[in-house]
């Protein structure tokens, strides 16, 4: 699993980080991002839906927000 | 059979770009969206920072638009390149520090580079003639097409019928008859079209697409440039201009005083980059200091922070002053009375 740190960045920067990382990896790769902006809980799943990637998990731990996406075939 | 033509749509998250993309989809064009992040975008940030805004919808409107349209959205970070647009706009600023015309040209130019790299045919925007005072006047729209290099590969589906034919229409890639002739500031035609297309709940940002159109934000940015002695900024600078009360007691320093809990938390993240103040014996706002302070300045800063604390009516309040190099000391001060903070200090 690839871990991305997007703490202290505000949306859409965490989305851009996820988008750019996904572009580098083959289908099946799991990418987990940690953000301090709660907007990431909406924006990253929305971005994944649009591009046909799979949302595996999203969770809140205190003031940090984690979203895991599986890279799928780009539609 | 003629191949399906492909267009990239500049998606801001507002209604016009949503409609322009839908008009193209309805003509059988393959559309993908592109959204540029300049660092000045209104959406998200203040909601993410301020606790009182936490209940507000936190969706990103550009992503929402793309999802409604069923298209991909490519979000591009242009923070670094965009600095030159804000600092040296060839066509000048609008009412505030908004370089709208240069900004449009730059974004269309980036979109033009994108279609060349990705083998797309043309670009669409949701611009409407006469809708914005500076950048959408009829004589200005060709400037965007020319200076961006996109020329007649730039189509504005919402007002195309009021403009000369583009290659996109001449070649029959789209049917000009099915495009629109909207103009002016009246939003009713767009709202009617949105209704006809079954779009509800679309974004209507009051302040436009970015903070640069905001008078008070522009004033703070102008103040930052003036006191740094040069027109420059980093992302942290422009983020901090979105937060707190900005108070400049003299030429040497400015204070950023948090207004609520969410801002307190946000400003705490900057304590290694700036001097900071906190009240020790009462509840009070997290405060950053931008500049270099003398002992006397520290005392003035402490009196100001005390004024905004729960100890504002007390005779004496204890303030911790922490320099960014780690030095920490305490100051006991009498809080300023309201009228001891002159209006002119507020940036
Ligand atoms: S309002 Fe801001 S983003 Fe929109 S055109 Fe003007 S400068 Fe660019």
């Amino acid at each position: 699993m690839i871990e991305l740190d997007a703490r202290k960045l505000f949306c859409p920067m965490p989305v851009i980080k996820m988008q750019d990382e996904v572009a580098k990896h083959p289908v099946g790769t799991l990418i987990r991002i940690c953000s301090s902006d709660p907007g990431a809980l909406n924006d990253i799943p929305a971005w994944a839906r649009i591009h046909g990637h799979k949302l595996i998990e999203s969770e809140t731990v205190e003031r940090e927000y984690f979203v895991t996406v599986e890279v799928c075939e780009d539609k | 059979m003629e191949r399906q033509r492909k267009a990239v749509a500049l998606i801001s998250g507002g209604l016009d770009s949503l409609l322009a993309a839908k008009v193209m989809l309805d003509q059988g064009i393959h559309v993908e969206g592109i959204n540029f992040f300049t660092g000045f975008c209104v959406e998200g940030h203040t909601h993410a920072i301020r606790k009182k805004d936490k209940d507000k919808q936190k969706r990103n409107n550009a992503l929402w638009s793309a999802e409604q349209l069923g298209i991909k959205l490519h979000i591009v970070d242009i923070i670094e390149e965009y600095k030159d647009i804000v600092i040296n706009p060839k066509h000048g600023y609008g009412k505030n520090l908004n370089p709208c015309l240069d900004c449009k040209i730059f974004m269309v130019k980036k979109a033009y580079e994108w279609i060349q790299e990705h083998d797309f045919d043309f670009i669409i925007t949701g611009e409407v003639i006469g809708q914005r005072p500076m950048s959408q006047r009829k004589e200005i729209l060709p400037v965007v097409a020319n200076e961006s290099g996109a020329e007649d590969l730039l189509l504005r589906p919402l007002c195309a019928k009021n403009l000369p034919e583009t290659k996109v229409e001449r070649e029959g890639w789209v049917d000009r008859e099915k495009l629109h002739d909207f103009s002016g500031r009246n939003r009713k035609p767009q709202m009617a079209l949105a209704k006809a297309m079954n779009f509800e709940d679309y974004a209507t940002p009051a302040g436009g697409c970015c903070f640069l159109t905001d008078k008070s934000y522009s004033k703070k940015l102008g103040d930052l440039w003036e006191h740094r002695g040069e027109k420059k900024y980093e992302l942290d600078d422009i983020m901090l201009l979105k937060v707190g009360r900005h108070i400049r007691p003299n030429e040497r320093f400015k204070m950023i005083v948090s207004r609520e809990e969410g801002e307190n938390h946000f400003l705490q993240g900057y304590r290694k980059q700036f001097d900071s103040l906190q009240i020790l014996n009462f509840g009070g706002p997290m405060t950053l200091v931008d500049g270099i302070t003398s002992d006397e300045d520290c005392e003035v800063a402490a009196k100001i922070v005390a004024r905004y604390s729960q100890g504002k009516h007390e005779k004496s309040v204890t303030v911790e002053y922490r320099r960014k190099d780690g030095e920490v000391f305490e100051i006991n001060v009498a809080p300023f009375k309201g009228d001891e903070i002159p209006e002119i200090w507020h940036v």
Side-chain angles (χ1 to χ4, degrees):
Chain A
M1 172 132 65
I2 298 187
E3 302 272 353
L4 294 179
D5 183 356
R7 290 181 186 94
K8 280 191 78 183
L9 294 178
F10 288 94
C11 279
M13 288 308 285
V15 185
I16 296 176
K17 259 193 156 220
M18 177 60 92
Q19 166 191 272
D20 294 351
E21 197 63 29
V22 164
K24 293 186 214 155
H25 297 283
V27 169
T29 310
L30 292 181
I31 304 176
R32 184 176 190 248
I33 193 161
C34 171
S35 170
S36 43
D37 179 353
L41 290 181
N42 290 332
D43 295 352
I44 293 176
W47 177 85
R49 281 195 300 274
I50 289 168
H51 289 264
H53 303 296
K54 195 166 160 193
L55 174 71
I56 301 295
E57 190 179 49
S58 72
E59 58 173 339
T60 304
V61 182
E62 292 177 3
R63 294 183 82 135
E64 294 189 329
Y65 310 92
F66 295 84
V67 184
T68 308
V69 166
E70 181 183 332
V71 181
C72 297
E73 198 67 62
D74 217 344
K75 280 183 285 184
Chain B
M1 194 185 130
E2 170 87 353
R3 74 174 169 88
Q4 187 187 25
R5 294 289 165 179
K6 298 197 274 186
V8 73
L10 266 69
I11 299 286
S12 64
L15 177 59
D16 294 353
S17 58
L18 176 74
L19 295 176
K22 180 73 168 105
V23 169
M24 290 294 92
L25 287 168
D26 288 348
Q27 290 212 26
I29 303 294
H30 172 90
V31 180
E32 295 190 16
I34 195 165
N35 173 262
F36 295 108
F37 179 58
T38 64
F40 292 100
C41 306
V42 170
E43 56 179 48
H45 295 179
T46 40
H47 293 181
I49 296 166
R50 298 191 70 177
K51 188 156 192 278
K52 79 174 184 58
D53 289 343
K54 283 269 191 281
D55 294 337
K56 286 192 188 159
Q57 207 167 23
K58 279 188 283 287
R59 76 176 188 205
N60 173 302
N61 285 312
L63 283 166
W64 180 85
S65 296
E67 202 165 10
Q68 298 299 303
L69 293 161
I71 64 172
K72 288 186 184 176
L73 181 75
H74 309 278
I75 307 180
V76 185
D77 165 4
I78 55 166
I79 296 167
E80 278 306 312
E81 289 172 90
Y82 195 72
K83 287 179 181 172
D84 192 45
I85 305 297
V86 180
I87 291 167
N88 303 304
K90 184 175 147 200
H91 296 281
Y93 296 107
K95 211 168 155 200
N96 297 300
L97 287 176
N98 49 313
C100 288
L101 183 50
D102 291 84
C103 172
K104 287 261 162 64
I105 294 168
F106 178 71
M107 288 187 184
V108 174
K109 182 167 166 265
K110 296 297 290 176
Y112 183 53
E113 289 165 9
W114 193 94
I115 63 166
Q116 289 172 309
E117 271 168 44
H118 294 82
D119 200 22
F120 272 50
D121 300 293
F122 61 99
I123 302 158
I124 58 172
T125 69
E127 289 162 294
V128 169
I129 288 181
Q131 186 158 284
R132 297 259 173 87
M134 178 184 171
S135 58
Q136 294 187 7
R137 294 200 315 268
K138 189 163 185 173
E139 63 276 23
I140 289 297
L141 293 189
V143 176
V144 177
N146 297 342
E147 293 195 16
S148 63
E151 305 287 356
D152 62 357
L153 290 178
L154 174 59
L155 182 72
R156 284 101 167 188
L158 300 187
C159 64
K161 280 183 169 168
N162 295 325
L163 296 169
E165 237 182 4
T166 62
K167 183 176 177 185
V168 183
E169 297 146 289
R170 264 196 322 277
E171 298 283 328
W173 300 344
V174 306
D175 180 353
R176 182 173 167 92
E177 282 315 301
K178 292 186 186 147
L179 302 177
H180 294 272
D181 59 355
F182 300 166
S183 72
R185 305 183 74 118
N186 180 5
R187 304 279 300 153
K188 282 193 183 140
Q190 282 96 315
M191 283 151 82
L193 186 59
K195 197 163 178 220
M197 289 174 162
N198 286 323
F199 288 127
E200 287 167 12
D201 193 27
Y202 45 81
T204 46
C209 24
C210 77
F211 270 106
L212 293 169
T213 57
D214 182 85
K215 190 175 167 197
S216 125
Y217 187 90
S218 288
K219 195 175 159 210
K220 288 180 200 149
L221 181 59
D223 170 83
L224 182 98
W225 285 342
E226 190 189 326
H227 290 88
R228 294 230 174 128
E230 54 182 357
K231 272 173 103 176
K232 267 192 177 175
Y233 65 82
E234 295 303 328
L235 183 60
D236 277 343
D237 295 324
I238 61 177
M239 290 298 296
L240 284 167
L241 296 183
K242 298 175 185 176
V243 179
R245 287 186 179 87
H246 289 236
I247 299 172
R248 183 177 291 287
N250 62 41
E251 294 304 299
R252 291 180 294 281
F253 74 105
K254 178 183 81 170
M255 300 165 65
I256 306 173
V257 185
S258 135
R259 289 168 296 191
E260 46 94 75
E261 198 189 324
E263 290 189 346
N264 262 348
H265 185 76
F266 178 76
L267 293 180
Q268 255 160 15
Y270 286 92
R271 293 208 307 177
K272 289 205 172 103
Q273 285 156 264
F274 295 90
D275 291 2
S276 59
L277 293 98
Q278 224 162 7
I279 308 283
L280 293 182
N281 48 350
F282 295 95
M286 177 71 209
T287 301
L288 300 181
V289 171
D290 183 13
I292 297 169
T293 44
S294 64
D295 290 350
E296 202 179 301
D297 293 335
C298 293
E299 194 171 322
V300 170
K303 281 166 170 271
I304 291 172
V305 182
R307 164 71 201 161
Y308 291 107
S309 77
Q310 283 165 8
K312 66 181 175 188
H313 299 303
E314 302 293 324
K315 282 202 176 67
S316 174
V317 164
T318 308
V319 182
E320 179 189 87
Y321 194 106
R322 178 182 293 266
R323 294 212 185 266
K324 61 185 172 196
D325 64 11
E327 187 199 351
V328 182
F329 49 91
E330 288 177 16
I331 316 171
N332 291 307
V333 288
F336 269 145
K337 305 270 176 297
D339 57 2
E340 286 178 297
I341 304 177
E343 196 45 45
I344 198 170
W345 289 5
H346 289 270
V347 182

